[in-house]
Amino acid sequence: AQTVTQSQPEMSVQEAETVTLSCTYDTSESDYYLFWYKQPPSRQMILVIRQEAYKQQNATENRFSVNFQKAAKSFSLKISDSQLGDAAMYFCAYRITGGGNKLTFGTGTQLKVEL
Amino acid sequence: GAVVSQHPSRVICKSGTSVKIECRSLDFQATTMFWYRQFPKQSLMLMATSNEGSKATYEQGVEKDKFLINHASLTLSTLTVTSAHPEDSSFYICSARPLAGNQETQYFGPGTRLLVL
């Protein structure tokens, strides 16, 4: 069974600084997708960034980038120039290609942004 | 684009009653919709996968007779919590996979908070 582990229950970052959230996963599949979702206090799940496992290049979306290490099964999220609006729960998620598109979520990391 | 709505956003009901939650994809058609449950300060747990026109696939440990799922169209799936009890109180979230376009991503609804008294 696939598992996703987020070892940091909480993280804090100063406004305008950079923070990295860690995520590791366990799978025997070679073709899959990885996601980072953000859940602010409103509880609305928002897609932050997506990475296809077959792509070696790390995905980036504006201030958000990932460090995807396939051999190590690691998928960390870097948030640059942190803003107050980045404060939220961040979930790492995994999905194999096909397979009913079921997402497996990690336990989440609560990110606090301080002035 | 890719907006998913849920109705109601909050519901309070008495123990023993049934509650229906709707999940709609507003600007796209969805072959597959997913229902999750989230307890406070915990992750999302998949309850079932709903495919239009066919029976839902339930995850292990989820009672299909208690959590009835209907996916009658490509834009609507409903979750009915039958004979609700206080332990069913939770946050229920749906997501939808587009029929066309970006099929690799699920788009989430805003969730429904259920409180059973």
Side-chain angles (χ1 to χ4, degrees), chain A residues 103-114:
Chain A
L103 279 172
T104 300
F105 284 91
T107 50
T109 296
Q110 182 68 52
L111 178 66
K112 298 180 181 180
V113 180
E114 300 169 342

Side-chain angles (χ1 to χ4, degrees), chain A residues 33 35 37 39 42-47 50 52 89 91 95 97-98 100-103 105-108, chain B residues 32 34 36 38-44 46 49 59 91 93 97 102-106 108-110 113:
Chain A
Y33 293 87
F35 305 84
Y37 280 92
Q39 188 179 42
S42 67
R43 308 288 294 269
Q44 172 73 61
M45 294 287 284
I46 301 167
L47 177 66
R50 183 185 86 185
E52 291 90 340
M89 180 72 86
F91 291 100
R95 178 175 77 73
T97 303
N101 291 281
K102 291 168 55 173
L103 279 172
F105 284 91
T107 50
Chain B
T32 307
F34 303 85
Y36 297 87
Q38 186 180 32
F39 290 106
K41 299 188 183 300
Q42 294 189 22
S43 188
L44 280 71
L46 180 65
T49 302
E59 295 299 300
F91 193 66
I93 306 175
R97 178 195 178 210
N102 188 1
Q103 296 179 298
E104 304 308 331
T105 299
Q106 291 183 26
F108 285 81
R113 186 178 303 279

